[in-house]
Amino acid sequence: MDVGGTSVRAGVVDARGAVLDTTRAPTPTGAQALEDAIVHAVEELAGRHDVAAVGLAVAGFVTADRRSVRFAPHLAWRGVPVADRVSARLGLPVVLEHDANAAALAEYRFGAARGAHVAVLVALGTGIGGALLVDGRVFRGAHGVAPELGHLRLVPDGRPCPCGKRGCWERYCSGTALAATAVELLAEYPAASTVLGREAAGDPRAVTGRRVAGAARDGDPLAQRAMTDLARWLGEGLALVADVYDPEVVVIGGGVSESAPLFLDDARQHYASVVTGAGHRPLARIRTAQLGDDAGIVGAAALARDVAMDVVRNGRPR
Ligand SMILES: [Zn+2]
């Protein structure tokens, strides 16, 4: 399952990572209602399929034992032992994982990072989600928080971020950033000269990341400049990521990656020109995610399968 701030999506996934059946519901606001929604979704799918175990990809911090959610900005859980509660109600093994980690695992097993010794996922959505896999194992840091890539500060005294800092990478490189850059650029263009300008004159809230990407695809010059700006900041941030982790593969995922043809070549070039030792070191392969929206579900299911196999072999989850 993919438990996000907007919707709770569940899928039945086979051993090869194929999604056989799905169901979805809007994310309820209360903690109990959220748990109920998860249980109901599993019960619905278990009525049609032989379900062995449940994996939950959660948009939030998960404890190192993958049993509890510490904190999730867009979900009602605060220090809740979600895995044990859901497991008790369903009578099935349940495992939790941070959604970016789950997506990275899915890409490692079935997608763009298959077999990579060191792989980094950079998911460009409302913000930036990051994950680091070393030989297919999630690197979590000492307290389960690493790697928090979106809040690396790229611009001292830059755009304010909800995290309390300024100039974080995701303020310049995400769907939200795309909209913010387009709104800044509007000041330079007569309102009627671009599609976005005309739309923003009617309602400034019409300028969303998705809309900017669509306008860039249609050739709108302002939107294309916003996209070029995003590409530059993506390259800039990837150079930092490469300096710290020296990855073999970087997978660009999240909703913004659907527009990769509009920015990825520029980002690669900028990355290659600013990374330390440019021209004298092997470069990471920068690829778009292959599993799209299903990555969280497929990764969570792969973890659930590992747990189910453990139960079969050892009689208890590890
Ligand atoms: Zn921040």
Side-chain angles (χ1 to χ4, degrees):
M1 298 192 62
D2 194 342
V3 184
T6 312
S7 63
V8 173
R9 296 190 305 132
V12 177
V13 185
D14 73 11
R16 284 169 298 180
V19 180
L20 308 176
D21 194 0
T22 59
T23 182
R24 83 157 61 205
T27 304
T29 45
Q32 187 60 48
L34 180 54
E35 185 184 306
D36 292 346
I38 288 167
V39 169
H40 294 154
V42 175
E43 284 173 344
E44 182 194 329
L45 292 172
R48 304 198 284 267
H49 303 268
D50 188 12
V51 174
V54 177
L56 303 176
V58 178
F61 292 145
V62 169
T63 53
D65 63 4
R66 301 184 300 172
R67 308 303 301 160
S68 301
V69 174
R70 275 189 211 285
F71 170 73
H74 307 292
L75 301 173
W77 292 323
R78 300 287 181 270
V80 177
V82 176
D84 292 338
R85 293 180 64 111
V86 174
S87 180
R89 287 180 66 179
L90 290 171
L92 291 169
V94 175
V95 62
L96 298 179
E97 187 51 273
H98 183 278
D99 57 356
N101 288 342
L105 279 162
E107 295 291 343
Y108 176 80
R109 297 207 187 172
F110 307 110
R114 206 175 307 190
H117 172 51
V118 179
V120 173
L121 173 85
V122 177
L124 307 177
T126 308
I128 291 180
L132 168 66
L133 298 185
V134 180
D135 292 327
R137 292 176 62 98
V138 172
F139 177 86
R140 300 168 196 279
H143 308 103
V145 179
E148 195 49 84
L149 301 178
H151 300 282
L152 291 175
R153 187 165 66 178
L154 264 68
V155 184
D157 302 319
R159 291 176 184 166
C161 182
C163 77
K165 302 196 296 183
R166 282 178 169 273
C168 296
W169 189 18
E170 68 173 41
R171 292 299 100 195
Y172 296 83
C173 190
S174 63
T176 313
L178 204 50
T181 304
V183 168
E184 276 182 20
L185 289 171
L186 279 169
E188 296 178 32
Y189 288 78
S193 70
T194 74
V195 179
L196 274 184
R198 287 194 291 279
E199 287 175 4
D203 177 8
R205 284 169 306 178
V207 182
T208 61
R210 191 171 289 278
R211 189 62 205 106
V212 175
R217 216 170 289 132
D218 294 340
D220 185 75
L222 188 161
Q224 287 179 338
R225 264 185 69 192
M227 202 53 95
T228 304
D229 193 72
L230 177 133
R232 185 174 146 251
W233 288 114
L234 179 56
E236 199 76 26
L238 289 178
L240 285 184
V241 167
D243 283 344
V244 178
Y245 300 129
D246 187 19
E248 188 177 327
V249 175
V250 178
V251 178
I252 308 295
V256 178
S257 70
E258 289 163 22
S259 304
L262 296 169
F263 63 80
L264 199 58
D265 283 342
D266 280 357
R268 283 192 185 106
Q269 275 178 27
H270 191 73
Y271 154 72
S273 68
V274 297
V275 70
T276 307
H280 306 282
R281 65 185 274 180
L283 294 172
R285 280 180 291 145
I286 300 168
R287 313 181 63 185
T288 43
Q290 288 179 1
L291 297 169
D293 263 2
D294 287 337
I297 287 176
V298 172
L303 288 165
R305 181 170 299 102
D306 293 349
V307 170
M309 294 303 287
D310 243 41
V311 172
V312 170
R313 288 194 195 104
N314 304 324
R316 61 181 167 75
R318 64 187 152 195

